[in-house]
Amino acid sequence: MAAPRSFVWSRRIFLTLLTGFVLLPVYVMLSSSLKPLEDVSGEFRWVPSGLTIRPYIDIWSTVPLAKYFVNSLIVAGAATVLSVVIAIFAAYGVSRYRFRGKRLFTVTVLSTQMFPGILFLLPLFLIYVNIGNATGIALFGSRIGLILTYLTFSLPFSIWMLIGYFESVPRDLDEAAMVDGNGPLGALFRVVVPAAVPGIVAVAVYAFMTAWGEVLFASVMTNDTTRTLAVGLQGYATQNDVYWNQVMAASLVVSVPVVAGFLLLQRYLVAGLTAGAVK
């Protein structure tokens, strides 16, 4: 049965307004990034009087954006890989085996998502400083320390999500793999992991996006050498002026990896999130 015309037009109007609401900030960023600084600092104009690509050239010299880009890529990539690998083993163990404390473990993993991130900031800072003083291992101000920090809030969600996804994979597949001579690890990597690719991709995208745009921990746990993009964008603001056109240009450049990855993996992400939610 066809939908009423009033409903169709209402839906079109709503989606048009929603699209405009979403794209309006993007247009402001794009237009501001193509304006000279004096035009951005003055009264905002919806239609730029002149366009220039100079801000996209200057962003690399005003601050060491390339170094920040490499730091973010290393930290976010390492945190993503570790989150996925550890979550796969943990989720497989919880979904396939019975052991004492299983329920306590799953509840504890889920309960960590209830606390705000700032609650862990000072304890982690003190732990890293004390470890550095006791062992000489510099976790504070290092990429390794920031990677471990991001694992504290990306890993619990990753484990919980993969538990639900692995439980949706029939256990008959594991048994069939073991009949063919595979052990538990062989069944995991040859049967369960290929069947759970959408869920694993969803976890990887979540972990990467969380680490890529994180500001709070990166502003405290890094120094001039290990600073990431999210914190490095503050370098475009000086005591005398703010390079708004370069801020907008750098923000668009920073968003490219996340947007491109999301578009490429969109079908896996939607399938993974849906399966985990249903389970």
Side-chain angles (χ1 to χ4, degrees):
M1 186 175 68
R5 292 181 60 86
S6 59
F7 173 78
V8 173
W9 281 104
S10 299
R11 182 177 59 184
R12 290 176 180 176
I13 294 173
F14 175 77
L15 292 177
T16 301
L17 294 176
L18 181 61
T19 302
F21 178 78
V22 172
L23 294 181
L24 182 61
V26 179
Y27 172 76
V28 173
M29 290 177 60
L30 181 61
S31 61
S32 299
S33 67
L34 295 173
K35 295 178 182 179
L37 181 59
E38 54 272 14
D39 291 351
V40 182
S41 302
E43 182 180 356
F44 178 77
R45 296 180 179 179
W46 290 101
V47 180
S49 57
L51 300 178
T52 176
I53 62 171
R54 191 67 194 176
Y56 287 90
I57 300 175
D58 294 338
I59 58 175
W60 305 99
S61 56
T62 303
V63 300
L65 190 64
K67 181 174 68 175
Y68 299 157
F69 195 94
V70 172
N71 289 336
S72 292
L73 194 61
I74 293 175
V75 171
T80 300
V81 172
L82 289 176
S83 294
V84 170
V85 172
I86 297 175
I88 286 176
F89 286 105
Y92 182 73
V94 172
S95 65
R96 291 299 191 268
Y97 297 100
R98 294 182 179 180
F99 54 89
R100 182 177 300 178
K102 175 180 177 179
R103 183 175 179 82
L104 177 62
F105 173 78
T106 55
V107 172
T108 302
V109 168
L110 183 61
S111 64
T112 58
Q113 303 301 299
M114 298 187 301
F115 301 100
I118 194 172
L119 188 66
F120 302 99
L121 182 60
L122 182 58
L124 284 174
F125 172 79
L126 295 176
I127 290 173
Y128 287 174
V129 171
N130 290 330
I131 290 177
N133 294 334
T135 64
I137 301 175
L139 293 179
F140 176 74
S142 66
R143 294 171 179 168
I144 297 178
L146 193 59
I147 292 170
L148 295 177
T149 300
Y150 289 159
L151 285 177
T152 61
F153 49 84
S154 65
L155 187 57
F157 178 83
S158 302
I159 294 175
W160 182 261
M161 184 173 177
L162 282 184
I163 288 175
Y165 203 95
F166 282 176
E167 288 181 350
S168 66
V169 178
R171 299 193 180 188
D172 295 341
L173 297 178
D174 301 45
E175 297 175 359
M178 292 181 181
V179 169
D180 291 338
N182 294 290
L185 291 179
L188 171 62
F189 289 107
R190 295 183 181 180
V191 177
V192 179
V193 169
V197 168
I200 295 173
V201 171
V203 167
V205 172
Y206 165 80
F208 185 84
M209 293 179 64
T210 302
W212 186 264
E214 201 280 325
V215 177
L216 176 62
F217 289 92
S219 62
V220 177
M221 299 293 187
T222 60
N223 51 33
D224 293 338
T225 304
T226 59
R227 190 165 296 161
T228 58
L229 282 171
V231 180
L233 293 179
Q234 299 176 2
Y236 293 105
T238 63
Q239 294 181 351
N240 301 323
D241 204 352
V242 179
Y243 300 101
W244 289 112
N245 54 347
Q246 296 187 36
V247 171
M248 298 301 175
S251 299
L252 289 173
V253 172
V254 168
S255 304
V256 169
V258 176
V259 174
F262 180 83
L263 293 177
L264 291 174
L265 303 174
Q266 182 180 10
R267 63 189 183 96
Y268 294 105
L269 180 63
V270 174
L273 291 175
T274 303
V278 172
K279 187 61 182 179

